[in-house]
Amino acid sequence: MHKLLLVITVTALSACQPKPAQEVITLTQEPLYAASLTQDGNGVLLSTSDSGLLYRQLSETGAKYQWRHGDNNSDIIETAISPSASYAASLSLDSVALWSIVDGQSRGWWSLPAAGQSVAVADNGALLIGLADGSVMSLTGEQDKLIKFLGHSEKVNSVAISADGRQALSGGNDNKVILWDAGTGQPEHNWQLASRVIKVTLSDDGAQAFASDSTNDARIWSSHSGDLISQLDIRVRQKTFSAARFVESGNALLTGTPAREVILWRTDNGKKLGNWQVAITKKGQINSAVVYSVATKGADQVLSVSSNGLLEAWSLTSTTR
């Protein structure tokens, strides 16, 4: 709890506008289609237009691994990294691939029965894939075991899996959020939001589940009881999320938006603790940036990777509200 108390204290230092990042690293000059930070903020997986998949340790210069998912690098629509940074996953509309971050080797490639939409990977290499036909695939590569969840009636937009691979979370266009047993495919809890579900995530231990819809409804539930813990205190008509991660041992939720925002929330009451804004680069004609991934590093640093190709870092003392 001491880290959370520190965060709450520093939010008293408010300002009119979010402060610029204290550290900015250009990760790529190429178009960036997807990116994932490791949980500890020490590594990043990039899906680039020309170089393919690149895994990089941020303390080092250049890529540690370079992988090719298929013939066309631009086919990759989402990436994921397991909480322990042992595995990485890449997803295209027609296939999913699993990679070892430990030795850089491929651990498998599988074609999909319907268009892929979202992917998540656990510490044991278990994959979860949300599909456009409303199904969710749970795939354990080592055992070649496949389970298909059929609880959604429309396209699945986002999936998440607990660190141990036992719990799965999915959200779709049917407005449903479903918590599953990843080993059996049996639903454990079923929640309903007001509109189509855009983003879901689980805490590493699976104890908390988050989901947000296409308007401004974003909620956190207890995975054990199914009870609502909090609803994010969103005071605008529409706010959607492109990235979400539980941090501070589950005491806070860090989110990113398609409109350059990085926001930290308390999980127990949904109140905003701080917000930051990623930079706009001169690449392309779009005067914005999508936040692809967020993380914390140490006790006092917030990180983001966005479609501008930049890694940006802020101190928690630079927060505004």
Side-chain angles (χ1 to χ4, degrees), residues 209-222:
F210 166 78
S212 63
D213 73 0
S214 59
T215 59
N216 61 2
D217 192 1
R219 306 186 184 198
I220 300 170
W221 298 272
S222 166

Side-chain angles (χ1 to χ4, degrees), residues 57-193:
Q57 288 293 124
L58 293 172
S59 60
E60 302 172 1
T61 302
K64 183 176 182 180
Y65 303 124
Q66 183 175 16
W67 299 312
R68 296 195 71 86
H69 180 105
D71 294 334
N72 191 344
N73 292 326
S74 63
D75 286 347
I76 298 173
I77 60 172
E78 190 165 281
T79 58
I81 296 177
S82 66
S84 66
S86 299
Y87 292 96
S90 56
L91 178 72
S92 70
L93 290 176
D94 60 12
S95 60
V96 64
L98 180 66
W99 314 90
S100 170
I101 296 178
V102 177
D103 59 17
Q105 298 299 306
S106 170
R107 288 293 183 265
W109 182 97
W110 299 267
S111 61
L112 301 175
Q117 302 295 311
S118 181
V119 67
V121 60
D123 284 341
N124 61 1
L127 290 167
L128 197 70
I129 306 105
L131 302 176
D133 66 357
S135 64
V136 180
M137 290 174 55
S138 175
L139 178 64
T140 304
E142 298 287 335
Q143 302 173 359
D144 203 22
K145 179 181 178 182
L146 172 64
I147 294 175
K148 200 171 185 179
F149 308 156
L150 300 173
H152 290 279
S153 59
E154 298 184 45
K155 181 174 71 172
V156 175
N157 295 313
S158 184
V159 296
I161 193 166
S162 59
D164 62 11
R166 294 181 178 179
Q167 290 179 295
L169 186 68
S170 58
N173 278 1
D174 56 3
N175 306 357
K176 287 183 181 180
V177 183
I178 305 177
L179 183 70
W180 312 80
D181 183 314
T184 65
Q186 294 299 309
E188 296 179 351
H189 296 294
N190 192 321
W191 303 288
Q192 194 84 12
L193 294 183

Side-chain angles (χ1 to χ4, degrees), residues 254-256 260-264 274-276 278 291 294 302 304 314:
L254 187 61
T255 61
R260 301 174 55 203
E261 295 175 288
V262 176
I263 309 171
L264 186 68
N275 67 281
W276 302 265
V278 305
V291 178
V294 291
V302 170
S304 80
W314 300 265

Side-chain angles (χ1 to χ4, degrees), residues 280-291:
I280 299 175
T281 62
K282 296 181 179 179
K283 293 188 297 182
Q285 303 298 318
I286 301 175
N287 192 34
S288 188
V290 178
V291 178

